[in-house]
Amino acid sequence: MTSMRVASLLVSTLPTISADLFGFANSSEASIALEDRKLTSLTLAGQEGSDKVELKLRVSILGHLGPQDVTPSEADKKKAEKWIFAAALRSMLYSQDEGFPGPQLDTPPEIQHSVIQPMALNMGRRSPFQKTEFQISCRVRDEPSAIKLGTRFCQDYGDEAQILEIGTVRALDMADLYPREAYDFASKLGKGLPSFIHVSAAYFVNDKLSEGGLCYWESALDDALQLPLCPENSAPLEQSPWGCKCLPGYEGHVEFSHVEDFGGSFEIVGSCTAIREFCPLAGDVELKQKDDEGGAARGVVGEVALPSCKRGYQAEGETTCTEERKWVPDPQHLCHWTPPREQPEPYCERNMLNSTGVQIQGCGLCTISQGASCACAVKCGEDYERSGGGEEGKKECLRETFSCPHKLLFQADICVDEETKRPTHTFCCKEAWGENVPPVSLEIRNCGEISKDRDCLSSKHDGSGGVGNAGEPCCWQKRGRKCAPKSEHLEGATCAATKDAIVSAWSDLPTCNELPEPPPKPVCENVFASIPNLVYENCTDCTPDETCNCTVRCKPGTKQPTGKYAEGSEGIRKCEWRDVGVRAEFEPPPNCQGICETPDNQSGLLDVSLCKEDCVVGDKGCQCTVSCADGTVVFSGRPGKKSCMPTDKGQEYELSPTCRPVCVKPDSQFNLLEVIGCSGCIAGTDCPCRLECRGGNKALKGREGDKVCKLHQASATSMPTAEWADKLKADDEEAVSGVPQCLPPITISVVDAINQEALGGVTIKVYIASSNKEDRLLEVLVTSDSARDKSVMFYCEATSMSVRIEKDGYSSILRQLDRGSNCEDPSKCRFQFSLSKALPGNHLHPQGCFVKGKPRSIEWEMRAVLEWDNSPRDLDIWARNWGCYDAVERGYNCKGSNATAKEGAGILGPFWKVPVCKRDFFGRPLVKRAEFNACAMKGCRFTGLSSVVAFSSETEKGSPLCHYVMTDQFPKWVHYASRYVDSMDRRIVGHDPEARLKGRVQPLPEAVNWNPDHYMLLDVDKKTGYGPETVTFHNVPPGIYQVVVNQFSRGNGLRLVHGNPRVTVYIGRNNVAFECKISPQCVQDAFVWNVVNIEVTAGKAAPDGELEYEIRLIDNEEDMKILRRIELPTARGIDQLACHPYSDQELKQVCYGKCSLVDKSLEHAYGSCLKSRK
């Protein structure tokens, strides 16, 4: 039998086991997790002194476990123990009314398993099947808990749903021990699981079984897989378990059916009937049949039997059942007393050496014959010394003679000491001699009057008869059953004798006396209490050579110097001898010194990043290096390394330098501003600087003339800054600060990305570079609702700047502007930006980049917005579901080189060839009607502006008015001529044109039962620069979505890269924005930019029952779908392209770029959305 301590049960991880394991309704019911070594208690231990209450459960399974003819390994059995306990635990803890956890266990359970071989008697029954029993014992808090837990366990077994039985079968299956043998046999008989799975439960209070137990289902079960109990007047055969024997006084033959072929239920065949003429037994001698079987005698007249004598007696002869219904001769006279055997050699035991202070080595069991070779030695133990007795060292087992007292001859109980309850002279009891012990002295009796052999062989003659034979031992003749004095010389007789016992004893032991108590050890004084900057604990009453755990450490704000300034150390301080036996002291403590605070950073002007925060006085290895921050210079003092020094105030670093910001030399404003001097000017110092507009022009803003670098003190939100100001009025509050503006103002307008309408109420914050690392806020502007184009203007002397654009209900954007690269004429600089309205639907989740929902009702949205500079004038955005196109391309044999290949036309001869790709079929009405059933391309109605798609309603629930079926359904692009595509969750059935003409569709495996309200839509088209062109992806199903930008307008020698195009992708209700920019290394003659592939993967199940659809933006050229001439978008038919007729070679040289998060602070949450970052 093996046992194991079950693994840890962690309630916090209960849902990790599949609910399918035990057939539970949900994962909360299957809340059980098992590990390999220890079961953590579900509750605190019971109160000390309370009754010990133990619940014991047994689960029995009939039949071989696991594959036939394969013996289960110990590892599989241990695994089964865990899973069987899991099934039982579920039944104990779960209640239909209360749920989990119910009454609770108190200590870890003990689980054991045992195997009972076929036909072995178990619980009063036999079975031809092997039986495996799993026994679970666990301590519980009290009797009510035991009753409740055990009752639930029993009820689950007795329930019609057979919860516990099913859980047991699945548990065995988890351990690769499926009970196939019993299951098949029970199925053959039409029986259920209870026919081979049995359980019982009981509880014990203080190791005493409670009355009645809790349940014992084995006694009430179907007996299909167990042999029936033997019928009335019979008992199981001992030699053969396949039948029953009739009891004495009864005859007949009883056996069981189907024991050879297992062809059905085991049934009793035969019975036992009373014998009419029967010889009953008298006395306590049993009789056995004389034949070979040796079974119990039946008692039938004429039967010959042999006596079965009790211990100490030997059978001689046989007896017969006569017609007088008596056994003749009397069986009692056939059993003869066995004379005593020789006494075994006595031995010395270890417990015979017990003596105060004696330490024993070996001495386990020594005999007299071993002599000095016995491994036994003794010595006085620790804290004891020898004061007399035998010598220490090796001991022998010696021989002695002992005469057993008469009173011990036949009273074995007297051989036990009444006080210690241990045997004393066992050599005088039957345990030493066998069943019969020889007497020490003989009893005086008349030998001729003795009728029993035992009495005869324990006596001597009393002299009756007057023949001078008094004192002779009595002798016993078996054949004649006669006792007589020895002088009568009975033939074959045995005579009584006495015998002294041989005893053993160890050689003399030493006498050991306890040593006197040593003097007390000195105590180490707690010197740490008087030392500053120390914290200590457990440092009282410590003595040398003992574990004290005295711990010292530096107080917060202090530390120990390194190198030669270090003394002791922090941590455990030992109490050590200074004069052994006289004086003791602690190890030295650490030299804790105060820590220098990091120098003040002067509101950000001083860089103290190279100063450690834990430097102390005297620590030469700890340095602090200070320097002026970027954009500032030293005004006074010296930068460099500073040491931590002692002062009247404690400890401080050496004096730091004073730093001040520097005014940046003004930009020439594209040679419109003359800058004289103005280099390296420190704020608050006299520095020559003069600024004037060139060519007689006057400043449009600010003043020309001499300037000074003025210092602006730090505020609560910013560090000190430097700014140019008029020299003559530097100390005047009305002095004009700033650089004169010789450049005209910059104009900014903002439009809606969906309908191109100019937006009012937009906040525009303009930032320019400053003398420090942070950009300086130059101006805050708000677009007016009253202005016609709602634009704003501002002056800026800088060439480059950044703007943040915000409006309620829209996504914010941050853009970098440069007069030189973004404006055709720096003196006439205008910018237009697009804001995207906040998207409806579900959020984009961080840490995984996915949207959630159920296919039929999912709502989520994505938007791609194209913007560019004023030139080139017309750029177009294309978008499509690549899977939609791929299905069409395959169905019309246009993949790969087939797009341009041709083949012979049969009877028309080898010189007449037709295209392999059936692209031209898409001009036919039948193809149009068939292909419209999946990924349908449609045209739309427009608003007053022909570039904006009209909707059925201006609310979020409005639908685009797109019902015109496009003739060419091949390319699947959304673009300016084909604005709309829907039905992307299905595909046309068929891999050739003829099959696809039937128009039958089937759903995508990853989009079965998808929300029918889904589409891609080009909301707006722009032909006059700036943009926007916007594609909305509404509830689209899983797939790969391509986004491409094409330069439609040609002329002026401008190429796509010159327009600085950018595509902003917004995803989810939280409007997570990604900005895709074209690579500056794009070839100069390229007119197409393959922007990004957006991959929406098939849904993965989430714990709440919804599905998670991951989204990835792919911008690596090697991972993106390529473009080919055959798939270019068309306008009004297959013969009219909606773009330049690019060749395949030109499309191999398109531009690529990179996408990144607009808000860099979200990198940790949404960085995984970019596949190139994974």
Side-chain angles (χ1 to χ4, degrees):
M1 184 175 292
T2 63
S3 66
M4 65 165 288
R5 183 72 67 176
V6 174
S8 137
L9 180 79
L10 304 176
V11 176
S12 61
T13 61
L14 291 180
T16 60
I17 291 184
S18 169
D20 292 337
L21 178 58
F22 303 118
F24 300 149
N26 52 56
S27 61
S28 66
E29 293 188 20
S31 303
I32 295 175
L34 296 172
E35 296 177 359
D36 283 336
R37 298 191 178 169
K38 186 179 179 184
L39 174 65
T40 301
S41 175
L42 296 180
T43 64
L44 297 175
Q47 296 181 356
E48 186 175 357
S50 60
D51 288 339
K52 174 186 174 184
V53 181
E54 189 175 17
L55 177 65
K56 294 192 177 184
L57 313 174
R58 183 171 65 239
V59 180
S60 304
I61 302 99
L62 288 171
H64 179 79
L65 300 184
Q68 199 67 26
D69 300 327
V70 175
T71 301
S73 67
E74 285 302 313
D76 288 340
K77 293 177 183 178
K78 290 182 179 180
K79 189 175 181 182
E81 287 178 351
K82 293 188 291 184
W83 288 111
I84 290 290
F85 173 65
L89 188 62
R90 184 267 175 199
S91 294
M92 288 192 288
L93 296 186
Y94 181 72
S95 169
Q96 224 25 63
D97 299 326
E98 302 175 24
F100 283 106
Q104 298 174 323
L105 303 179
D106 195 39
T107 60
E110 190 78 20
I111 302 181
Q112 299 178 325
H113 76 265
S114 59
V115 177
I116 298 152
Q117 297 303 321
M119 303 312 299
L121 188 64
N122 176 252
M123 306 302 289
R125 303 295 299 274
R126 285 187 171 94
S127 173
F129 295 97
Q130 175 182 289
K131 185 176 184 180
T132 305
E133 289 188 347
F134 293 90
Q135 299 184 42
I136 303 168
S137 300
C138 45
R139 179 85 175 268
V140 295
R141 185 174 293 279
D142 47 34
E143 286 191 64
S145 295
I147 294 172
K148 198 164 190 178
L149 290 168
T151 301
R152 288 178 176 173
F153 174 80
C154 296
Q155 289 174 345
D156 261 11
Y157 181 84
D159 189 74
E160 292 182 358
Q162 298 185 353
I163 295 173
L164 183 56
E165 295 92 313
I166 294 173
T168 300
V169 173
R170 292 182 176 172
L172 293 171
D173 195 23
M174 292 293 292
D176 299 324
L177 297 178
Y178 189 81
R180 173 65 62 189
E181 181 185 42
Y183 189 89
D184 290 346
F185 187 67
S187 300
K188 179 179 179 181
L189 301 180
K191 303 294 183 180
L193 299 180
S195 65
F196 64 90
I197 298 176
H198 309 156
V199 302
S200 61
Y203 72 92
F204 294 73
V205 179
N206 297 328
D207 298 324
K208 183 178 180 182
L209 176 66
S210 63
E211 294 185 5
L214 296 171
C215 68
Y216 180 61
W217 282 104
E218 291 193 22
S219 63
L221 291 172
D222 191 330
D223 289 331
L225 276 73
Q226 297 192 98
L227 297 182
L229 295 173
C230 285
E232 187 178 6
N233 304 321
S234 67
L237 288 174
E238 295 179 3
Q239 294 83 0
S240 172
W242 293 103
C244 303
K245 64 178 180 180
C246 293
L247 296 177
Y250 297 87
E251 63 180 348
H253 181 71
V254 179
E255 61 181 5
F256 304 120
S257 64
H258 300 298
V259 296
E260 299 292 338
D261 57 359
F262 283 44
S265 298
F266 306 112
E267 297 177 353
I268 297 174
V269 178
S271 62
C272 294
T273 58
I275 300 174
R276 292 183 179 180
E277 294 183 352
F278 171 66
C279 292
L281 286 175
D284 56 356
V285 178
E286 295 183 2
L287 295 179
K288 292 187 177 180
Q289 296 177 8
K290 188 179 178 181
D291 56 23
D292 295 338
E293 294 185 4
R298 296 163 52 204
V300 182
V301 173
E303 182 180 25
V304 179
L306 299 175
S308 178
C309 301
K310 63 182 181 180
R311 291 184 60 185
Y313 290 81
Q314 182 177 359
E316 293 183 4
E318 59 188 29
T319 183
T320 304
C321 180
T322 65
E323 293 181 355
E324 288 79 15
R325 299 175 66 183
K326 291 183 180 180
W327 290 100
V328 178
D330 188 345
Q332 302 288 336
H333 296 159
L334 297 179
C335 291
H336 301 284
W337 186 61
T338 304
R341 68 170 184 260
E342 291 295 323
Q343 177 195 358
E345 181 181 13
Y347 54 85
C348 296
E349 297 180 273
R350 183 185 178 93
N351 58 11
M352 297 165 61
L353 291 169
N354 288 338
S355 182
T356 303
V358 175
Q359 185 175 343
I360 305 169
Q361 297 176 343
C363 311
L365 186 67
C366 293
T367 63
I368 296 172
S369 60
Q370 284 181 285
S373 65
C374 177
C376 177
V378 298
K379 67 177 181 178
C380 291
E382 187 177 359
D383 298 331
Y384 284 83
E385 63 180 356
R386 179 177 174 274
S387 60
E391 296 294 329
E392 295 179 284
K394 196 169 183 64
K395 295 297 170 183
E396 297 182 34
C397 185
L398 304 178
R399 177 189 183 98
E400 294 183 1
T401 302
F402 179 84
S403 296
C404 293
H406 179 74
K407 65 178 181 179
L408 296 180
L409 281 178
F410 306 115
Q411 302 179 48
D413 57 329
I414 301 179
C415 292
V416 178
D417 187 278
E418 292 185 358
E419 293 183 2
T420 64
K421 303 302 181 184
R422 294 176 58 84
T424 54
H425 302 298
T426 56
F427 43 81
C428 292
C429 304
K430 66 180 181 180
E431 287 84 1
W433 301 93
E435 194 65 32
N436 299 317
V437 183
V440 175
S441 60
L442 301 179
E443 184 178 358
I444 300 175
R445 295 181 62 177
N446 185 348
C447 297
E449 296 179 354
I450 300 174
S451 61
K452 292 185 178 180
D453 50 4
R454 177 174 178 177
D455 295 341
C456 181
L457 294 175
S458 301
S459 305
K460 60 184 177 179
H461 192 54
D462 60 1
S464 299
V467 292
N469 55 3
E472 289 185 359
C474 298
C475 300
W476 179 261
Q477 186 187 55
K478 289 184 181 179
R479 182 181 58 192
R481 296 189 59 81
K482 179 179 180 182
C483 184
K486 185 176 181 180
S487 58
E488 293 190 15
H489 303 292
L490 294 177
E491 183 180 358
T494 301
C495 298
T498 61
K499 188 175 182 65
D500 290 333
I502 300 172
V503 297
S504 59
W506 292 106
S507 52
D508 292 341
L509 297 179
T511 300
C512 300
N513 292 332
E514 190 173 3
L515 293 172
E517 287 287 337
K521 291 182 180 179
V523 176
C524 283
E525 180 185 358
N526 183 9
V527 296
F528 309 124
S530 60
I531 300 176
N533 298 332
L534 273 185
V535 178
Y536 63 90
E537 58 183 350
N538 302 324
C539 299
T540 305
D541 299 329
C542 292
T543 58
D545 305 327
E546 293 183 359
T547 302
C548 181
N549 291 327
C550 172
T551 306
V552 298
R553 57 182 181 274
C554 294
K555 285 184 178 179
T558 68
K559 62 168 286 191
Q560 167 147 267
T562 58
K564 65 179 181 179
Y565 296 96
E567 293 182 3
S569 61
E570 295 184 271
I572 299 292
R573 298 286 82 194
K574 295 180 181 178
C575 179
E576 298 179 331
W577 289 108
R578 290 296 177 261
D579 296 323
V580 177
V582 179
R583 185 172 61 88
E585 293 179 357
F586 279 111
E587 294 177 299
N591 177 24
C592 299
Q593 299 291 327
I595 295 175
C596 275
E597 294 185 2
T598 304
D600 180 64
N601 69 354
Q602 301 177 17
S603 300
L605 298 178
L606 184 67
D607 184 356
V608 295
S609 61
L610 297 180
C611 289
K612 297 181 179 179
E613 296 181 354
D614 57 353
C615 292
V616 298
V617 175
D619 193 347
K620 298 298 184 182
C622 185
Q623 297 291 338
C624 171
T625 302
V626 298
S627 60
C628 290
D630 292 346
T632 68
V633 296
V634 176
F635 184 72
S636 63
R638 291 189 304 172
K641 294 183 177 180
K642 304 294 178 182
S643 297
C644 183
M645 306 293 293
T647 67
D648 296 339
K649 300 177 182 179
Q651 56 280 332
E652 295 179 353
Y653 280 109
E654 294 176 287
L655 190 63
S656 299
T658 301
C659 302
R660 284 193 180 178
V662 178
C663 285
V664 178
K665 184 176 181 178
D667 186 78
S668 67
Q669 299 181 19
F670 296 95
N671 291 324
L672 294 180
L673 177 67
E674 183 174 3
V675 181
I676 304 170
C678 312
S679 297
C681 294
I682 302 174
T685 63
D686 190 10
C687 180
C689 179
R690 184 172 181 81
L691 303 175
E692 295 179 347
C693 292
R694 294 179 183 273
N697 294 321
K698 297 297 181 182
L700 300 175
K701 183 181 180 183
R703 294 175 181 173
E704 301 174 70
D706 293 328
K707 303 289 180 178
V708 294
C709 185
K710 184 177 181 179
L711 175 66
H712 290 277
Q713 297 298 331
S715 67
T717 58
S718 65
M719 60 184 288
T721 59
E723 186 179 20
W724 294 111
D726 294 342
K727 183 175 183 179
L728 297 179
K729 299 182 179 181
D731 297 327
D732 189 345
E733 291 183 359
E734 297 180 1
V736 176
S737 298
V739 175
Q741 303 294 316
C742 304
L743 277 171
I746 295 174
T747 302
I748 291 181
S749 61
V750 183
V751 300
D752 189 299
I754 297 296
N755 55 32
Q756 294 188 2
E757 292 182 1
L759 296 176
V762 178
T763 301
I764 302 172
K765 298 178 182 179
V766 183
Y767 299 87
I768 61 173
S770 66
S771 58
N772 54 46
K773 296 180 180 179
E774 298 179 357
D775 287 347
R776 177 168 62 88
L777 178 62
L778 176 68
E779 199 160 354
V780 178
L781 308 166
V782 179
T783 60
S784 171
D785 288 324
S786 59
R788 183 177 62 82
D789 60 356
K790 299 180 176 58
S791 62
V792 294
M793 294 187 298
F794 66 94
Y795 290 92
C796 182
E797 73 274 15
T799 300
S800 60
M801 66 215 72
S802 60
V803 294
R804 177 173 289 279
I805 303 173
E806 303 169 337
K807 180 177 173 62
D808 289 343
Y810 288 79
S811 297
S812 301
I813 60 175
L814 177 66
R815 293 288 159 77
Q816 303 296 323
L817 308 181
D818 188 283
R819 284 181 185 263
S821 61
N822 294 121
C823 302
E824 293 182 25
D825 184 351
S827 65
K828 299 177 182 178
C829 207
R830 179 183 181 88
F831 297 96
Q832 177 183 295
F833 301 104
S834 304
L835 287 183
S836 172
K837 282 185 179 179
L839 299 175
N842 295 336
H843 285 75
L844 180 66
H845 290 258
Q847 309 303 334
C849 194
F850 59 88
V851 293
K852 283 178 63 177
K854 295 183 178 179
R856 187 68 179 178
S857 58
I858 189 170
E859 292 186 357
W860 76 286
E861 200 147 294
M862 180 168 60
R863 184 170 292 153
V865 180
L866 167 65
E867 298 174 272
W868 67 97
D869 295 341
N870 190 37
S871 297
R873 301 293 285 172
D874 190 3
L875 300 185
D876 288 330
I877 188 170
W878 306 343
R880 73 176 175 188
N881 180 305
W882 180 82
C884 288
Y885 169 72
D886 181 64
V888 173
E889 188 181 60
R890 292 177 183 276
Y892 289 86
N893 203 18
C894 298
K895 296 293 289 185
S897 60
N898 287 346
T900 57
K902 293 187 177 182
E903 59 186 357
I907 61 174
L908 297 179
F911 301 104
W912 186 274
K913 294 183 179 292
V914 296
V916 174
C917 171
K918 306 307 179 186
R919 171 73 174 89
D920 58 336
F921 281 21
F922 281 79
R924 303 176 182 180
L926 286 176
V927 174
K928 169 184 173 181
R929 285 194 294 270
E931 295 296 334
F932 178 73
N933 290 302
C935 304
M937 299 171 58
K938 300 179 183 179
C940 303
R941 289 174 57 186
F942 303 112
T943 62
L945 298 173
S946 62
S947 61
V948 179
V949 172
F951 277 72
S952 61
S953 169
E954 295 183 1
T955 67
E956 283 189 3
K957 299 299 182 180
S959 301
L961 300 176
C962 302
H963 308 296
Y964 172 70
V965 180
M966 302 302 295
T967 299
D968 185 10
Q969 293 287 325
F970 184 82
K972 303 303 181 185
W973 288 109
V974 164
H975 59 102
Y976 76 88
S978 178
R979 296 290 191 95
Y980 180 94
V981 171
D982 62 8
S983 304
M984 291 173 282
D985 59 336
R986 65 190 70 169
R987 297 290 183 267
I988 305 293
V989 177
H991 298 288
D992 58 78
E994 183 178 353
R996 296 176 68 90
L997 281 176
K998 298 177 182 179
R1000 292 190 297 108
V1001 299
Q1002 63 184 11
L1004 278 176
E1006 60 269 28
V1008 175
N1009 200 27
W1010 192 260
N1011 187 346
D1013 179 24
H1014 71 269
Y1015 57 79
M1016 284 191 303
L1017 173 70
L1018 178 65
D1019 296 273
V1020 61
D1021 178 42
K1022 187 69 182 296
K1023 303 177 182 179
T1024 57
Y1026 297 118
E1029 291 206 2
T1030 303
V1031 176
T1032 296
F1033 301 79
H1034 178 70
N1035 301 336
V1036 293
I1040 296 177
Y1041 294 87
Q1042 296 173 272
V1043 179
V1044 176
V1045 172
N1046 172 59
Q1047 180 181 339
F1048 187 86
S1049 61
R1050 307 294 178 93
N1052 298 329
L1054 294 176
R1055 296 294 184 267
L1056 179 62
V1057 71
H1058 298 145
N1060 296 308
R1062 56 191 171 274
V1063 174
T1064 306
V1065 179
Y1066 302 91
I1067 306 176
R1069 190 182 188 88
N1070 45 345
N1071 297 281
V1072 181
F1074 303 85
E1075 187 175 64
C1076 301
K1077 294 182 178 180
I1078 195 169
S1079 172
Q1081 286 74 40
C1082 180
V1083 293
Q1084 293 298 310
D1085 57 349
F1087 293 91
V1088 178
W1089 172 24
N1090 197 349
V1091 181
V1092 68
N1093 289 176
I1094 304 173
E1095 181 180 26
V1096 182
T1097 61
K1100 296 188 299 184
D1104 58 4
E1106 294 189 332
L1107 298 182
E1108 297 175 354
Y1109 298 90
E1110 291 185 356
I1111 299 174
R1112 296 291 182 268
L1113 277 67
I1114 305 170
D1115 56 12
N1116 286 331
E1117 178 180 353
E1118 60 271 17
D1119 297 327
M1120 297 175 67
K1121 302 299 181 184
I1122 63 172
L1123 303 174
R1124 299 191 301 154
R1125 174 184 174 83
I1126 193 171
E1127 60 195 70
L1128 292 174
T1130 56
R1132 300 186 181 280
I1134 64 174
D1135 299 324
Q1136 182 180 351
L1137 292 176
C1139 62
H1140 182 79
Y1142 300 111
S1143 66
D1144 284 338
Q1145 184 60 34
E1146 289 176 305
L1147 292 174
K1148 289 180 180 179
Q1149 299 178 356
V1150 299
C1151 295
Y1152 290 88
K1154 283 296 177 185
C1155 302
S1156 62
L1157 275 160
V1158 172
D1159 188 347
K1160 305 303 180 187
S1161 67
L1162 299 178
E1163 185 74 30
H1164 69 286
Y1166 295 100
S1168 63
C1169 297
L1170 299 164
K1171 194 164 186 178
S1172 58
R1173 304 282 183 89
K1174 289 185 65 177

